[in-house]
Amino acid sequence: MNLLNKFKDPKLCLNILEQVKHEIQGQFRFMEVCGTHTVAIFQSGIRTLLPENIVHLSGPGCPVCVTHDREIAAYLELAEKNVIIATFGDLIKVPGPGGRNLKMAQAEGARIQVVYSAFDALQLAMQNPQDKVVFLGVGFETTAPTVAATVKMAKEKDLDNFSVLSFHKLVPPALKALASDKDIQVDGLLLPGHVSTVIGLDPYLFLTDEYNMPAVIGGFEPLDILQAILIMIRQKSQGHASVINNYKRVVNDAGNLRALQVMREVFETSDAMWRGLGVIPESGLALRKDFENFNAFIVHEQDLPDVKNVPGCKCGDVLKGLISPDKCPLFGIRCTPASPVGPCMVSTEGSCAAYHKYSI
Amino acid sequence: MCLAIPMEVKSIEDNVAQVEVGGVKNQVRLDIIDEPAQVGDFVIVHAGFALRRIDRDEGLETLKLFQEGLGLELVK
Ligand code: SF4
């Protein structure tokens, strides 16, 4: 058997599962903070195999799901201005105030173009010099460097028709907000594999230093996930916590220094609003003054409109792990993947969407 | 957003690599990769940019896993 097939080997997985059952003492609530983990945990059936005294929660790890209503409202307003909106496809179905989304705006004539990368948006601007192109920037530390590199290129090319509306968010400050929230009670965190590829290990150390909370960077195969759970259980029973990189085949402890440097050159941290979690200090990325010609807030005089919450949607409680998706009164009735009420049901990586797909 | 299927680097010109997986061809930018990639290497791609170079062997093995999981023909 080759090396990586082992990550799916049912016998090995069952062995680890047995070890988990053997070693566990007490009740634990673990949370994964990456949408890809959420999907992997459902797909592999791990959720149903875990002993009952482990509750596995899905945290705020889907960039679309944490995009705030007010941010969606800003996108919708911008779409009304005479610009071409370039966006990742995930965003166009996210309902904003009154259930309106970018797809509806498009049907009504707004110029909205789905792109695969920020660089595609830049090319769109180059091909349409008479138009203003705005790229909608969402995503975590994995996406932000790609957008930063694109903004740098726009500056080098001296483009005057390209800008970015940045709602990028940073994972560690959100984890800090979760760890310090007394209501939430998380005993350990399965850290996101690909965000960690960029930021490395250091930004998570506060979790163990300040909160004594086990934290494991894990891959997406069943064995990866089970190993991470076992590591967290062992740390719990030994009463000490550390950050472990259990995904060394992809994640370097130091992260991707080049990506980090480009990101810091273009962006500075700012406060950001997260759906369900509220304002988290220093958890967003805003374009630096040097790049203000590419900042859509300034170029298009866009602000963050006030909005009323989507009535009934419990995404906030779901993202904090306070309730499971099926406890939302709208789940599966008024809110389905075909007709989502909240963003957790929109993205395939959202908790509600994963829950809906694999539990019904 | 993060499904990181490794893609094989087929050619490189300036800062752009032609990459391929399972017959799907794509262009990715190399502006933010930390170790320079060469033809024959695999890269993890995120939103049109290569994020990390991975070993050819590891790349091939990972693809085999995706192949099983997704029922796609990615590697022979
Ligand atoms: S089921 Fe729908 S309405 Fe309820 S929390 Fe999830 S996304 Fe929001």
Side-chain angles (χ1 to χ4, degrees), chain A residues 65 95 275 310-319 323-336 339-346 351-353 356:
Chain A
C65 305
R275 184 180 296 251
V310 181
C313 174
K314 297 258 184 261
C315 277
D317 291 350
V318 170
L319 294 172
I323 61 166
S324 63
D326 59 340
K327 296 289 177 304
C328 167
L330 306 187
F331 178 82
I333 304 166
R334 271 195 43 221
C335 183
T336 60
S339 158
V341 173
C344 297
M345 191 62 94
V346 172
S351 312
C352 296
H356 194 272

Side-chain angles (χ1 to χ4, degrees), chain A residues 36 116 142 193-195 197 220-221 247 250 349, chain B residues 1-7 21 43-47 49 51-52 54 59 62-63 66 70:
Chain A
T36 315
Y116 167 68
T142 8
H194 296 134
V195 164
T197 307
F220 301 98
E221 301 307 329
Y247 194 31
V250 175
E349 290 176 3
Chain B
M1 278 183 87
C2 293
L3 184 68
I5 295 186
M7 302 191 81
V21 65
V43 285
I44 301 262
V45 177
H46 182 82
F49 285 74
L51 211 56
R52 201 173 151 90
I54 54 174
T62 308
L63 283 184
F66 277 112
L70 304 174

Side-chain angles (χ1 to χ4, degrees), chain A residues 34-324:
Chain A
C34 167
T36 315
H37 274 140
T38 307
V39 174
I41 287 172
F42 275 99
Q43 248 173 8
S44 58
I46 287 179
R47 236 183 121 256
T48 48
L49 295 173
L50 287 174
E52 270 175 16
N53 38 355
I54 298 180
V55 177
H56 211 91
L57 308 162
S58 307
C62 150
V64 170
C65 305
V66 293
T67 302
H68 198 275
D69 287 11
R70 291 182 67 182
E71 298 175 332
I72 302 290
Y75 291 154
L76 287 163
E77 277 193 12
L78 198 56
E80 303 298 321
K81 298 177 182 172
N82 190 23
V83 299
I84 300 178
I85 300 273
T87 175
F88 294 132
D90 300 38
L91 263 184
I92 67 172
K93 285 187 290 176
V94 182
R100 203 171 135 72
N101 62 26
L102 285 165
K103 210 170 165 59
M104 295 174 189
Q106 186 180 39
E108 289 159 16
R111 290 189 291 170
I112 292 164
Q113 180 87 33
V114 170
V115 290
Y116 167 68
S117 80
F119 182 72
D120 290 349
L122 180 85
Q123 280 188 312
L124 195 66
M126 283 158 53
Q127 287 153 7
N128 296 281
Q130 71 292 351
D131 286 311
K132 305 266 181 225
V133 173
V134 183
F135 178 70
L136 303 184
V138 295
F140 300 125
E141 290 92 335
T142 8
T143 319
T146 72
V147 179
T150 305
V151 169
K152 270 184 75 176
M153 279 184 254
K155 188 170 184 179
E156 277 154 27
K157 294 184 195 300
D158 214 7
L159 284 190
D160 63 358
N161 68 332
F162 176 77
S163 60
V164 174
L165 197 67
S166 171
F167 290 127
H168 294 99
K169 294 183 173 59
L170 302 172
V171 169
L175 298 184
K176 189 163 193 119
L178 286 172
S180 58
D181 187 330
K182 300 252 173 335
D183 290 339
I184 292 176
Q185 295 176 348
V186 175
D187 296 302
L189 285 165
L190 175 54
L191 298 171
H194 296 134
V195 164
S196 308
T197 307
V198 172
I199 67 176
L201 220 131
D202 284 1
Y204 301 117
L205 292 178
F206 76 91
L207 286 168
T208 52
D209 295 351
E210 292 172 32
Y211 299 96
N212 200 34
M213 184 180 289
V216 183
I217 298 172
F220 301 98
E221 301 307 329
L223 195 65
D224 288 320
I225 294 168
L226 287 168
Q227 272 176 343
I229 291 171
L230 185 60
I231 293 171
M232 292 194 281
I233 284 174
R234 285 192 174 153
Q235 290 198 13
K236 276 292 183 196
S237 65
Q238 289 159 6
H240 84 95
S242 52
V243 180
I244 304 285
N245 179 1
N246 201 43
Y247 194 31
K248 285 217 156 72
R249 60 191 198 277
V250 175
V251 175
N252 194 336
D253 282 359
N256 177 340
L257 299 179
R258 185 153 172 211
L260 282 172
Q261 194 226 320
V262 175
M263 190 168 97
R264 287 189 190 123
E265 198 181 326
V266 173
F267 291 116
E268 59 191 4
T269 54
S270 61
D271 296 350
M273 277 190 304
W274 294 59
R275 184 180 296 251
L277 304 180
V279 175
I280 302 178
E282 302 295 308
S283 68
L285 291 173
L287 278 103
R288 286 186 187 276
K289 205 166 180 339
D290 277 0
F291 296 91
E292 68 183 5
N293 293 350
F294 305 96
N295 185 342
F297 283 108
I298 295 173
V299 178
H300 295 289
E301 296 175 356
Q302 182 59 52
D303 56 11
L304 266 181
D306 266 328
V307 297
K308 291 203 190 79
N309 284 346
V310 181
C313 174
K314 297 258 184 261
C315 277
D317 291 350
V318 170
L319 294 172
K320 288 186 196 168
L322 295 176
I323 61 166
S324 63

Side-chain angles (χ1 to χ4, degrees), chain A residues 197 248-259, chain B residues 9 12 15 17 28-39 41-44 49-56 58:
Chain A
T197 307
K248 285 217 156 72
R249 60 191 198 277
V250 175
V251 175
N252 194 336
D253 282 359
N256 177 340
L257 299 179
R258 185 153 172 211
Chain B
V9 177
I12 298 177
N15 235 352
V28 300
R29 299 208 50 99
L30 302 175
D31 308 74
I32 55 166
I33 196 166
D34 55 351
E35 293 170 77
Q38 280 161 13
V39 173
D41 283 343
F42 278 74
V43 285
I44 301 262
F49 285 74
L51 211 56
R52 201 173 151 90
R53 186 193 80 90
I54 54 174
D55 251 30
R56 186 176 170 80
E58 206 110 54

